[in-house]
Amino acid sequence: MGSIGLVTPQQMHFSEPLPLKSGAALVDYTLVYETYGTLNADRSNAVLVCHALNASHHVAGRHGDGTLGWWDNLVGPGKPLDTERFFVIGVNNPGSCFGSTGPTHVNPATGGHYGADFPVVTVEDWVDAQVRLVQRLGIEQLAAVLGGSLGGMQALDWSLRHPTLLRHCVAVATAPNLSAQNIAFNEVARRAIVTDPDFHGGHYLAQGTLPQRGLRVARMIGHITYLSDDAMEARFGRELKAVDGRLGYTTQDIEFQIESYLRHQGDKFSAYFDANTYLLITRALDYFDPALPHGGSLTRAFAAALGKRFLLVSFTTDWRFSPARSREIVKALVDNRIDVSYAEIDAPHGHDAFLLDDPRYHAVMRAYFDRIGEQA
Amino acid sequence: MGSIGLVTPQQMHFSEPLPLKSGAALVDYTLVYETYGTLNADRSNAVLVCHALNASHHVAGRHGDGTLGWWDNLVGPGKPLDTERFFVIGVNNPGSCFGSTGPTHVNPATGGHYGADFPVVTVEDWVDAQVRLVQRLGIEQLAAVLGGSLGGMQALDWSLRHPTLLRHCVAVATAPNLSAQNIAFNEVARRAIVTDPDFHGGHYLAQGTLPQRGLRVARMIGHITYLSDDAMEARFGRELKAVDGRLGYTTQDIEFQIESYLRHQGDKFSAYFDANTYLLITRALDYFDPALPHGGSLTRAFAAALGKRFLLVSFTTDWRFSPARSREIVKALVDNRIDVSYAEIDAPHGHDAFLLDDPRYHAVMRAYFDRIGEQA
């Protein structure tokens, strides 16, 4: 398997306003994206990759500063999503803090940062923005839309609201909506951010501050939910930080390795992630609920995807979006006689498994994309 | 089943310093306690009830302000722990904010509040303090020590370090130590408190402030872990706060009922609970690990409890201290040929189930205490 090598993000500007689900509109915005591989003559081999909370357009390859794409183990020459066969597009969603127009950008209405005034964006809004990008790239129909977690929700939405624009939907470690517990974790994280005195109602940039305390706590909470209980136990258990194995008997300092790890994750994240983006993205997760307009029936919702083909993948130890949530989607597809392959991977890593290169998982992905490639 | 009626907390002062596991000592302290029922002539019918994080000596009956004891559904005349038969003692642990000497009290060394200078207390320290109280009450051997969650850890510790002072150990919804994930949740809660600018290194009382933002977030996190995913789903699901069912498209205001509920829990808790107490109690949870001095062998640890009798109860949907954790204790007891009854209650409520009056759970408790009573 080769490497994509150096990649350079591209930008596309849109001056036509994007109508949002909330009723507001996003005016005059830019999307940052990357592409890997070559679009074939009949433009039939394009695959769009949708990102989740802490990710971006940088799906694969290497940036000038050495940063590897977040799904580089999956996407590349000879890899399961083979860039020698497919033209792969990674796009950063509006509202992000990684390049596309978002809360840290200038609000044309005020001349200051958007901050908390950035409009609330939904999975559907992101997909609509992606549709415009794909069409501007001259692609009439995608071979597939692929995503994990929140990215999987975007892939599902493509199949529901733009079914003519794709042939396959590949949704990994995702769910048809958030459970009360999922929303609860999001809400605690948001409260940690919003009640940070440095948040200033979301206009912290105008105040020259950053609500890093809140972001740290938010990330620590998130991180616990990304890992399985077992994976955390195997990696950290009750191991102490002190090398001599002696307890310090302290309430404020670190005693256990797991504490050290979580604090480190929180510190790292709070140094680069935007707090308003965190609020926006967790809210997009909360709002996603394709069954809602169908009286709660996921089966009726997926009737819109007739004729599409699906791969769903879940991981046994994922307690954020458990296999049971993926099976709800599988059931809705089967109810509609829609072609679906489903793999439940017995992996120990919890939700994070979708980003790792478990061989059984990648074998499933490879086989499915091989099948798509033969049809492309 | 009758009611205990009005109860008045009592106080006992101890001028002999209590040596702590950390090497420090607690000097000149007071324990607040309550008793229900009557100690019999041969002083053989006393049951000590140990409390968990957000509880106190007020186990049963009613205070003058109407507050019902936290385990009033279990303890009272004709109730599973029958106060017509048993003399029941509830005691508030040192370090608490509910009456016994704790961080909000005056530090004799400085004349100011203890605050963050209150010594770190462990499950073992609490039990040693309880032993002194019980002995001062003229009780040579308890019929039983009972506790749920962190209270269960105290009951286990009695059986391990003071086996001659009790006949039965009743430990509900508990664990032989915290998992990495348990510690992780505690640590996030602590970070939310400690990084609140109003925390002032734990000396907020001297500054005239309270770290209520941090406490709110800590409580919200805790609350999620006390409820099962299913119970939260059944009670709240994705129900909206707005009665007209319309979304507000807001990142900072409440949309879902679960958010409203969690915020309310956080607000309520932060108005009465002390932040330093929260740190101390979560640390006591982290530190408890009776297998540690035995090379990690719980079986070798429980050899100390030979001749004692145990009831362990767990709840199927408790993901904080799952049935698997109780079964570890059961196995260690069985390995030692120690008499143990174990009930795994199929209850939907998660960890909180130990406080509720599920009839199957209470039937087990009643049967076991009846057995103890026949021997008392």
Side-chain angles (χ1 to χ4, degrees):
Chain A
M1 290 190 291
S3 168
I4 287 175
L6 198 69
V7 290
T8 308
Q10 303 171 66
Q11 300 207 349
M12 197 174 282
H13 182 79
F14 297 81
S15 50
E16 192 193 344
L18 182 74
L20 304 174
K21 209 177 170 187
S22 65
L26 187 60
V27 290
D28 213 43
Y29 60 98
T30 299
L31 297 183
V32 178
Y33 67 102
E34 291 181 6
T35 68
Y36 325 100
T38 310
L39 191 61
N40 62 10
D42 58 0
R43 299 163 183 257
S44 66
N45 69 334
V47 173
L48 176 72
V49 179
C50 307
H51 71 78
L53 198 151
N54 182 28
S56 71
H57 50 278
H58 187 34
V59 175
R62 198 178 292 276
H63 279 178
D65 66 359
T67 314
L68 215 58
W70 55 273
W71 230 345
D72 188 78
N73 60 26
L74 188 83
V75 179
K79 291 183 179 169
L81 175 44
D82 188 350
T83 50
E84 289 177 339
R85 182 176 233 170
F86 292 103
F87 177 66
V88 177
I89 308 160
V91 56
N92 189 217
N93 290 324
S96 172
C97 52
F98 293 130
S100 291
T101 303
T104 60
H105 289 209
V106 171
N107 180 355
T110 66
H113 299 287
Y114 271 109
D117 296 333
F118 195 87
V120 169
V121 280
T122 63
V123 166
E124 291 84 348
D125 300 330
W126 288 334
V127 167
D128 288 349
Q130 293 161 8
V131 167
R132 287 186 176 182
L133 175 81
V134 165
Q135 290 179 334
R136 286 263 290 267
L137 291 172
I139 297 156
E140 283 179 19
Q141 190 182 55
L142 292 160
V145 180
L146 160 66
S149 189
L150 175 57
M153 291 176 173
Q154 295 160 56
L156 295 175
D157 184 63
W158 269 87
S159 78
L160 296 173
R161 294 192 311 112
H162 304 285
T164 61
L165 305 185
L166 78 167
R167 293 193 294 284
H168 293 265
C169 171
V170 182
V172 183
T174 196
N177 62 26
L178 294 202
S179 68
Q181 191 190 68
N182 293 148
I183 298 173
F185 278 120
N186 280 349
E187 172 66 2
V188 182
R190 282 192 295 263
R191 292 317 287 165
I193 290 169
V194 168
T195 63
D196 183 330
D198 286 332
F199 182 69
H200 296 290
H203 293 288
Y204 41 87
L205 293 180
Q207 303 288 327
T209 61
L210 290 172
Q212 290 191 307
R213 298 182 204 89
L215 267 173
R216 273 192 210 105
V217 168
R219 181 57 168 178
M220 290 170 82
I221 295 168
H223 215 86
I224 298 175
T225 71
Y226 303 149
L227 298 182
S228 72
D229 190 11
D230 285 351
M232 227 183 227
E233 199 60 26
R235 184 158 168 200
F236 302 102
R238 299 181 50 82
E239 201 187 326
L240 296 176
K241 174 83 173 163
V243 285
D244 63 0
R246 293 176 76 135
L247 290 169
Y249 292 102
T250 164
T251 57
Q252 297 183 34
D253 297 333
I254 289 172
E255 289 275 39
F256 297 92
Q257 286 290 2
I258 179 65
E259 299 175 295
S260 174
Y261 171 77
L262 278 182
R263 288 198 196 183
H264 174 71
Q265 295 295 331
D267 288 346
K268 213 171 60 172
F269 185 77
S270 70
Y272 69 78
F273 208 86
D274 178 61
N276 284 310
T277 293
Y278 202 93
L279 303 185
L280 288 168
I281 296 190
T282 55
R283 252 321 183 212
L285 276 160
D286 291 356
Y287 285 139
F288 183 68
D289 192 6
L292 189 63
H294 302 275
S297 166
L298 206 58
T299 295
R300 286 208 293 277
F302 273 97
L306 266 174
K308 304 298 105 183
R309 289 171 173 191
F310 288 76
L311 170 64
L312 274 95
V313 180
S314 71
F315 302 93
T316 46
T317 57
D318 182 352
W319 61 280
R320 186 182 174 87
F321 293 153
S322 72
R325 304 310 317 270
S326 281
R327 288 196 296 261
E328 290 176 41
I329 302 166
V330 171
K331 180 185 182 302
L333 293 167
V334 170
D335 286 346
N336 283 293
R337 315 284 189 274
I338 292 172
D339 181 349
V340 54
S341 300
Y342 173 55
E344 198 167 304
I345 308 290
D346 186 13
H349 312 100
H351 188 61
D352 262 3
F354 88 88
L355 295 167
L356 305 178
D357 62 353
D358 182 290
R360 293 158 300 180
Y361 162 42
H362 273 198
V364 166
M365 297 295 274
R366 180 181 295 277
Y368 196 84
F369 277 105
D370 281 354
R371 174 184 158 190
I372 298 177
E374 283 153 19
Q375 298 160 356
Chain B
M1 291 190 292
S3 168
I4 286 176
L6 198 70
V7 290
T8 308
Q10 303 171 65
Q11 300 206 349
M12 198 176 282
H13 183 78
F14 297 82
S15 49
E16 191 194 346
L18 182 75
L20 303 174
K21 209 177 171 187
S22 66
L26 188 59
V27 291
D28 214 41
Y29 60 98
T30 298
L31 296 183
V32 178
Y33 67 100
E34 291 182 5
T35 68
Y36 325 101
T38 309
L39 189 61
N40 62 9
D42 58 359
R43 298 163 183 257
S44 66
N45 70 333
V47 173
L48 177 72
V49 178
C50 306
H51 71 77
L53 198 151
N54 181 27
S56 70
H57 50 277
H58 187 34
V59 175
R62 198 177 293 276
H63 278 178
D65 65 359
T67 315
L68 216 55
W70 55 273
W71 229 344
D72 188 77
N73 61 27
L74 188 82
V75 179
K79 290 182 179 169
L81 175 44
D82 188 349
T83 51
E84 290 178 338
R85 180 176 233 171
F86 291 103
F87 176 67
V88 177
I89 308 162
V91 56
N92 189 216
N93 289 324
S96 172
C97 52
F98 293 131
S100 292
T101 304
T104 60
H105 290 208
V106 171
N107 181 352
T110 66
H113 298 287
Y114 270 109
D117 296 333
F118 195 86
V120 169
V121 280
T122 63
V123 166
E124 291 85 347
D125 300 330
W126 288 334
V127 167
D128 289 348
Q130 292 161 8
V131 167
R132 287 186 177 183
L133 174 81
V134 166
Q135 290 179 334
R136 286 263 289 266
L137 291 173
I139 297 156
E140 282 180 20
Q141 189 182 54
L142 292 160
V145 180
L146 159 67
S149 190
L150 175 56
M153 292 175 172
Q154 294 161 57
L156 295 176
D157 184 63
W158 269 87
S159 77
L160 296 173
R161 295 193 310 113
H162 303 285
T164 60
L165 305 187
L166 78 167
R167 293 193 294 282
H168 294 265
C169 170
V170 181
V172 183
T174 195
N177 61 27
L178 293 201
S179 68
Q181 191 190 67
N182 292 148
I183 297 173
F185 278 121
N186 280 349
E187 173 65 2
V188 183
R190 281 191 295 262
R191 292 317 288 165
I193 291 169
V194 168
T195 64
D196 183 329
D198 285 331
F199 182 69
H200 296 290
H203 293 288
Y204 40 86
L205 293 179
Q207 304 287 327
T209 61
L210 290 172
Q212 291 191 307
R213 299 181 204 88
L215 266 173
R216 271 190 210 106
V217 169
R219 180 58 168 179
M220 290 169 83
I221 296 168
H223 215 87
I224 298 175
T225 70
Y226 304 149
L227 298 182
S228 73
D229 190 11
D230 285 352
M232 227 182 226
E233 199 61 25
R235 182 157 168 201
F236 302 103
R238 297 180 52 80
E239 201 187 326
L240 296 177
K241 174 83 175 164
V243 286
D244 63 1
R246 293 177 76 134
L247 290 170
Y249 293 101
T250 164
T251 57
Q252 297 182 36
D253 297 333
I254 289 173
E255 288 276 38
F256 298 91
Q257 286 290 2
I258 178 66
E259 300 176 294
S260 174
Y261 171 77
L262 278 182
R263 288 197 195 184
H264 174 70
Q265 295 295 332
D267 289 347
K268 213 171 58 171
F269 185 76
S270 71
Y272 69 78
F273 208 86
D274 178 62
N276 284 310
T277 292
Y278 202 92
L279 304 184
L280 287 169
I281 296 190
T282 55
R283 253 321 184 212
L285 276 159
D286 291 356
Y287 285 139
F288 183 68
D289 192 6
L292 189 62
H294 301 274
S297 166
L298 206 59
T299 295
R300 284 209 294 277
F302 272 97
L306 265 174
K308 304 298 105 184
R309 291 174 170 188
F310 288 76
L311 171 64
L312 274 95
V313 179
S314 71
F315 301 93
T316 47
T317 58
D318 182 352
W319 61 280
R320 186 181 175 85
F321 293 153
S322 74
R325 303 311 316 272
S326 281
R327 288 195 296 261
E328 290 176 40
I329 302 166
V330 171
K331 182 185 179 302
L333 291 168
V334 169
D335 285 346
N336 283 293
R337 314 284 189 276
I338 292 171
D339 180 349
V340 54
S341 301
Y342 173 55
E344 198 166 304
I345 308 290
D346 186 13
H349 311 99
H351 188 61
D352 262 2
F354 88 89
L355 294 168
L356 306 177
D357 62 352
D358 183 289
R360 293 157 301 181
Y361 162 42
H362 273 198
V364 167
M365 297 295 273
R366 180 181 294 278
Y368 196 84
F369 277 105
D370 280 353
R371 176 183 156 191
I372 298 178
E374 284 153 20
Q375 298 160 355

